[in-house]
Amino acid sequence: MSRLQAGAEQRREEPSARASSPSRFVLGLDVGSTVIRCHVYDRTARVRGSSAQKVENVYPQPGWVEIDPDALWAQFVAVIKDAVKAAGVQMHQIVGLGISTQRATFITWNKRTGHHFHNFISWQDLRAAELVKSWNNSLVMKLLRGSCRVLHFFSRSKLMLTVSRFNFTTQHATLRLIWILQNLSEVQKAVEEDNCCFGTIDTWLLHKLTKGSSYATDYSNASTTGFFDPFGMCWSKIIANVVSIPLSILPPVKDTSHNFGSVDEEIFGVPIPVVALVGDQQSAMFGECCFQTGDVKLTMGTGTFLDINTGNSPQHVNGGFYPLIGWKIGQEVVCLAEGNAGDTGTAIIWAQKLDLFTDAAETEKMALSLEDSEGVYFVPSFNGLQAPLNDPCACASFMGLKHSTSKYHLVRAILESIAFRNKQLYDMMQREIQIPVTNIRADGGVCNNAFVMQMTSDLINERIDRPAHFDMSCLGAATLAGLAVGFWADKEELQKLRRSEMVFKPQKKWQEYEMNMENWVKAVKRSMNWYNKA
């Protein structure tokens, strides 16, 4: 048992001591795709102070999405300082730091100097789209899938079944890293000389916070890269061998709630312990207290992410939902299956930039002011279409425009497309994951839109619980950190602290939307394969 774990166990045995220490706080940070946010939490899990800054993406070419690491680091430090100041507390009162990050966004850097070779390559980046197509259709992948089908027939191994159905996607870091190696000779040379470090945002921030003394990731982040074997709980030798990437460039994988080291004193004046690293969707799942098998989380932020708790073992999938590690805390391993849509909040932000409305809060009233969208449909595909269609070359589009079409119809069509996409993901989950759904909890900025929430509830014919606060990735990171240092005793205590704001219940039968959804699916199919290699 580590000193951190021993200390946590000791503090858990002294609830009176914890209760009498009101001046202690934990930090939860979320480095999302659009915003980097920090909250200071007290023992009731209430926010005492906050700060946020917009993440500035860089678009060097159409389809390329990057983040300047130096700018991100400056923002990261600034939001922590500003949040602590806003809370009216001192840095020495912060007993733990938890960091949630957008996943599969990666960077490589020089192992000896710490200098990064390029900007972060975002999970939204499409530069590897042609590589994805060519690899998925390659003889190597066909032979791999075929041999794994045979091995599964004899062994009944879930791993073999999953690999037999495996396809790369642009959201995996795998082929985006291959693109970097093919196009940046400096990185290729560093790999050959064993002088290259690969890291997702969590790994790089940890490296920066500890001035290079810590190099690690956690199981939740590792499992989203496309390099990880969730069945063996390790980096995948199969994938590494297939794409010829040495495992030596990948960081050690640690528990989600773990003592990763302390922040160098020069940064904040005190050595704050970094005690949780977690992927943003897994963090939101933890923050929503989706601790039981069958619990479902619907996050509607930059994109939509639908996750279901599958218990302590990964589920084999049919290519739509992806098996992930939710979190690992000591001996406890919780697995998830996830499906996602790439454009949700991005579609609303885009519409706002076109002056269809001034504030996103207006969209709900705009949509409700109409009986329907008058046959107008929107395809949310600025970053391609994910499962079940998996087409990185699909385009975003409006269809069914008429002389009578107003901006109100356009806005309603955008909101309807989010709900239709939610229905598509939910139906796919029901087909692929044979686990009864227990609870559905929503989070993310778009869940503030009652029109989208109610339409989704109607379409899937399920109750959806909306929490009092939507920043679940921040809360999840903070609670994972708090558990590590004994700030909270256990998950049962966290469940008692969770606050629900509203539960949406089905008001219409989904069949009332059936014709409109069929037309929307038709529009989606007509938007596919729009872009070619050029």
Side-chain angles (χ1 to χ4, degrees), residues 424-464:
Q424 202 174 45
L425 288 171
Y426 188 82
D427 286 352
M428 183 169 59
M429 181 187 76
Q430 295 282 68
R431 289 192 302 271
E432 291 194 11
I433 312 299
Q434 304 301 311
I435 293 176
V437 171
T438 50
N439 298 297
I440 302 177
R441 292 169 175 170
D443 67 276
V446 180
C447 85
N448 193 39
N449 190 297
F451 178 86
V452 173
M453 290 291 292
Q454 186 58 59
M455 186 173 171
T456 300
S457 176
D458 293 344
L459 285 168
I460 68 175
N461 194 34
E462 295 282 358
R463 295 158 58 101
I464 307 175

Side-chain angles (χ1 to χ4, degrees), residues 23 97 129 289 319 391 399 428 527:
S23 61
L97 167 62
C289 297
D391 180 13
M399 294 194 187
M428 183 169 59
S527 296

